Amino acid sequence: MELEAMTSRETWPDETEEATNTESPPKSRCDKIHETISNWILPANHRDTYLERANCLPPPIFIISVSIAELAVFIYYAVWMPQKQWITLDSGVWNSPFIYRADKREEAWRFISYMMVHAGVQHIIGNLALQLFLGIPLELVHKGHRIGLVYLAGVIGGSLASSVFDPRLALVGASGGVYALIGGYFMNVLVNFKDMVPLFGIFRILVIVTIVGTDVGFALYRRYISHETGEKVSFVAHFAGGLAGMSIGYTVFSCFDKNLIKDPRFWICIAAYVACVIFAVLFNIFLSPAP
């Protein structure tokens, strides 16, 4: 018995050495993607929790589906309809059942469907690039139902704000939804700045400010300075979408591992949003100077 015990003890170091030399399995491509995304989207104290449950299913269906639909509608009006939609807003889109127009505001679906049409190729390329570049990583982390909530909050808020502050102009493009995503992400970067590598956080803020400044500057140029032919469109949706993102979007994005409906901040933001929606609806019914 003693010999057997001594023999078994002699084997322990080898077994320990084998256990020590055992390497962890290599990371899959999906794991590497999620690790990179978590570094961009989440503060450091949430990344481990996210990586424990991260998977590539379901894929980012919402953002991809919306982008395909917007591109398909643009191609329809630019290629199959005889107009100059490649460079500016023309009669085909102006008469579209999707565009928001003040004289057609009783057709309530237009307050959402305007996101499907765009005022030229540079308009849709900019929106698609932004929403795919930022929306896909956000949807992988937060899933489609939450991204859809933030995106549509920006779209609806954008059209209602435009109907109040720029009531005589039409509205096209997905900028309200895109800026809601940007606003929510921007607030998360600011609030969690100390949990990020300083230069990395500064870089992200500078990228967002540069993109937003360029896009808004171009929208203001088209609205007030450009003498190109075609109908003018409102730019108010940019700001309203951004505000929706900085409130609802920030709350949604900061609760990725929590039950959203139990967060009082979410309901405060929803209550404020609903109050603004009710005001805008009443304004359009009783006070709007538009025909």
Side-chain angles (χ1 to χ4, degrees), residues 275-290:
C276 292
V277 168
I278 292 173
F279 169 79
V281 170
L282 294 176
F283 178 89
N284 276 278
I285 295 173
F286 300 109
L287 301 173
S288 177

Side-chain angles (χ1 to χ4, degrees), residues 66-67 69-71 73-74 77 85 88-90 93-94 96-101 109-131 151-160 162 169-180 215 218-219 222 231-242:
V66 168
S67 299
E70 290 168 0
L71 182 60
V73 171
F74 176 80
Y77 283 108
Q85 177 60 12
T88 187
L89 188 66
D90 207 358
V93 170
W94 183 254
S96 168
F98 296 122
I99 187 175
Y100 170 78
R101 284 171 48 181
W109 71 83
R110 292 177 182 263
F111 285 90
I112 298 177
S113 64
Y114 77 93
M115 74 179 191
M116 305 300 293
V117 291
H118 288 78
V121 66
Q122 78 287 343
H123 191 199
I124 190 169
I125 288 176
N127 278 345
L128 288 183
L130 284 172
Q131 71 185 28
Y151 190 90
L152 292 177
V155 169
I156 296 171
S159 58
L160 289 172
S162 180
L169 292 185
L171 187 63
V172 295
S175 296
V178 173
Y179 273 71
D215 189 51
F218 186 72
R222 287 176 59 91
E231 300 290 341
K232 297 288 186 181
V233 294
S234 175
F235 64 89
V236 176
H238 295 73
F239 298 102

Side-chain angles (χ1 to χ4, degrees), residues 198-215:
L199 289 178
F200 194 32
I202 293 172
F203 172 73
R204 279 188 277 190
I205 291 175
L206 289 177
V207 169
I208 293 172
V209 170
T210 301
I211 292 174
V212 171
T214 302
D215 189 51

